[in-house]
Amino acid sequence: MSSPKRPADIYLRFLQLTEALRGLPSLPALDPLEERILAIVARAMQDEERLSVRDMMAKKELGAPATLHSRLTSMREKGWIMLSDTEDTRRKQIELTQAALLHFDKLSKCLLQAAKQN
């Protein structure tokens, strides 16, 4: 492959590298809505913001609360997120699992590799 000529080539190379990650035995795949939820949880953790199940269900752009609840349950079963207790036992905090954090580490390495090949 010749060296990238446009900035978009870096992103396209990144996508190619991340496709290779999908074949590795790690966590089960996410559907597109679950990927959006994962990104929201990751950004909240990065910003050191608390994100409860109730907060997530209030995000109308993600769909109906029942749909979100089923996706959160699915993501927990797949090992991407965990729910932890808060001061109010009725509220659960959404957090990334260690495996999800390792996945983001791998994505970061793909991005750095794609940029380095420019």
Side-chain angles (χ1 to χ4, degrees), residues 13-30:
R13 176 71 179 139
F14 168 71
L15 291 179
Q16 181 182 22
L17 292 168
T18 60
E19 272 302 309
L21 287 181
R22 295 187 198 287
L24 297 177
S26 57
L27 294 171
L30 298 173

Side-chain angles (χ1 to χ4, degrees), residues 13-118:
R13 176 71 179 139
F14 168 71
L15 291 179
Q16 181 182 22
L17 292 168
T18 60
E19 272 302 309
L21 287 181
R22 295 187 198 287
L24 297 177
S26 57
L27 294 171
L30 298 173
D31 69 31
L33 178 57
E34 290 171 338
E35 286 185 13
R36 281 184 68 194
I37 293 168
L38 188 71
I40 291 169
V41 174
R43 281 193 309 269
M45 283 186 69
Q46 184 72 25
D47 294 340
E48 298 181 5
E49 294 176 357
R50 296 175 62 137
L51 183 66
S52 69
V53 172
R54 183 181 296 184
D55 296 333
M56 188 65 79
M57 298 238 191
K59 296 184 180 294
K60 303 288 186 216
E61 69 273 15
L62 296 177
T67 301
L68 277 173
H69 189 271
S70 68
R71 290 307 199 287
L72 291 173
T73 299
S74 169
M75 292 172 74
R76 281 181 62 206
E77 291 169 354
K78 291 176 181 179
W80 287 95
I81 61 169
M82 60 186 169
L83 301 181
S84 58
D85 291 328
T86 63
E87 310 82 46
D88 181 349
T89 57
R90 297 169 296 171
R91 290 178 66 102
K92 299 291 183 188
Q93 190 77 18
I94 305 172
E95 298 177 357
L96 297 178
T97 62
Q98 190 63 36
L101 291 169
L102 289 173
H103 174 75
F104 280 112
D105 289 345
K106 290 175 189 174
L107 288 176
S108 177
K109 287 178 184 174
C110 289
L111 183 58
L112 292 172
Q113 184 179 347
K116 189 162 107 177
Q117 292 178 350
N118 186 16

